[in-house]
């Protein structure tokens, strides 16, 4: 287990059980964060057992006032948090996934004032029960970080086949065609690479809305763009399609390409649909990939700056695994700084799910402190 010292102290000691992917637990004591080892993904029984051992080790360091966890009720980390909290006689506090991403940076950097957080990743359960992942949030600073609001998000994208779509970008590209009224193109475009039956079945699913949940996940929009450009049919590793798309965009950027961009928007359907018309030629595909990155950054920057101005906020926080993408991160930071906003990205804490436990712990500590203060006030008022 390793430790991190924060610039500000939390109001209460908390254990946080972390995310589902790249799981890592953390204990927060004042300004000290003690991390467990990274356990991997909780779909693996060995990772679940390792998390249980780590939680016991962190609890052996002293008492806690709460146990924090993700909102998803079916994660092993959530069930473990509930069991531990019951055993200890303390509250189990659920923290929304993207809220935790932003709170992790607030904690790491001791941000006192409220922020607009941009959380971009593949998926996390939203407070409305749907799949989120392209979120713009207002979050209170420092000891008010448990107060938050979702103020904007990327347009929802259909996921034909549910979780399977995250592994097969062609499904997301087909969903974009369907949303744009171009259903007739789905089978002829994809049958040669997926087989006629798979393309026909997917077409039917989209037409009938069968097993087609929606997601605002930025990662799924990257997959859709990669699928439209023919970069990836099925992914063998995590973020394979997004990495391939970034590689093309980086090549165009290095050449000094300046693609024409649409008006800023958080609805990427038309943009991704236009990628189907890109010639199968290296420079054209590189330019198109760059256009996608820049347009995404422009849309996020415009809405973020508008929300910041409306709420008197001067600080913007980046969180989530999509910020490993250098083209997106640098373009978005540049645009926001030009609007007079201070930009904060994770430093020592990973921007992806391996750093999520810190955000969970910080939010839970703020919640416990706020609840205690409210109880004290209520007690005084009754005497």
């Amino acid at each position: 287990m390793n430790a991190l010292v924060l610039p500000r102290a939390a109001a209460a000691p908390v254990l946080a059980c972390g995310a589902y992917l790249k799981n890592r637990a953390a204990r927060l004591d004042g300004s000290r964060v003690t991390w467990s080892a990274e356990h991997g993904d909780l779909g693996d029984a060995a990772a679940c057992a390792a998390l249980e051992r780590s939680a016991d080790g962190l609890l052996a360091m002293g008492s806690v006032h709460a146990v924090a966890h993700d909102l998803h009720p079916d994660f092993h980390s959530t069930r473990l948090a509930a069991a531990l909290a019951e055993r200890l006689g303390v509250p189990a506090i659920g923290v929304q996934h993207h809220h935790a991403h932003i709170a992790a940076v607030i904690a790491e950097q001791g941000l006192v004032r409220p922020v607009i957080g941009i959380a971009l990743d593949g998926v996390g359960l939203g407070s409305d029960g749907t799949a989120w992942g392209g979120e713009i949030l207002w979050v209170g600073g420092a000891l008010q970080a448990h107060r938050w609001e979702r103020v904007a998000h990327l347009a929802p994208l259909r996921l034909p086949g549910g979780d399977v779509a995250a592994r097969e970008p062609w499904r997301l590209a087909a969903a974009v065609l369907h949303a744009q009224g171009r259903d007739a193109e789905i089978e002829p475009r994809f049958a040669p690479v997926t087989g006629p039956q798979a393309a026909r079945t997917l077409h039917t699913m989209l037409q009938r809305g069968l097993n087609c949940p929606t997601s605002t996940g930025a990662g799924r929009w990257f997959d859709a763009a990669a699928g439209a450009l023919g970069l990836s049919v099925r992914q063998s590793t995590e973020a394979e399609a997004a990495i391939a798309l970034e590689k093309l965009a980086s090549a165009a950027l290095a050449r000094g390409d300046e693609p024409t961009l649409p008006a800023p928007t958080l609805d990427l359907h038309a943009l991704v649909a236009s990628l189907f018309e890109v010639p199968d030629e290296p420079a054209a595909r590189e330019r198109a990939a760059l256009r996608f990155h820049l347009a995404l950054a422009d849309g996020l920057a415009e809405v973020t700056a508008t929300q910041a101005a409306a709420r008197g906020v001067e600080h913007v926080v980046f969180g989530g695994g999509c910020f490993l993408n250098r083209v997106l991160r640098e373009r978005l930071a540049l645009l926001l700084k030009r609007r007079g906003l201070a930009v904060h990205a994770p430093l020592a804490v990973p921007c992806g799910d391996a750093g999520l436990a810190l955000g969970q712990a910080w939010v839970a500590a703020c919640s416990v402190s706020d609840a205690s203060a409210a109880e004290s006030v209520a007690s005084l008022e009754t005497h």
Side-chain angles (χ1 to χ4, degrees), residues 191-220:
V193 292
T194 68
Q197 185 58 49
R200 189 176 306 118
T201 298
L202 189 97
H203 187 191
T204 301
M205 290 170 63
L206 285 165
Q207 287 182 314
R208 298 180 181 177
L210 299 173
N211 193 19
C212 290
T214 61
S215 171
T216 58
R220 301 294 77 82

Side-chain angles (χ1 to χ4, degrees), residues 30-59:
S31 60
R32 183 180 177 85
V33 183
T34 304
W35 294 99
S36 74
E38 190 172 317
H39 305 120
D41 299 348
L42 295 183
D44 179 67
C48 293
L51 170 60
E52 292 173 13
R53 291 192 298 271
S54 290
D56 285 340
L58 291 167
L59 287 173

Side-chain angles (χ1 to χ4, degrees), residues 257-303:
D257 282 0
E258 295 184 9
T260 302
L261 300 177
T265 179
L266 296 183
D267 188 345
L268 302 172
H269 281 94
L271 174 65
V272 172
S274 73
L275 302 181
F276 283 100
E277 320 310 327
V278 174
D280 188 12
E281 183 268 320
R285 281 150 55 96
E286 290 165 359
R287 193 175 303 111
L290 179 59
R291 185 169 184 256
F292 172 82
H293 280 75
L294 301 187
L296 173 58
D298 285 9
L300 290 166
E302 181 66 27
V303 175

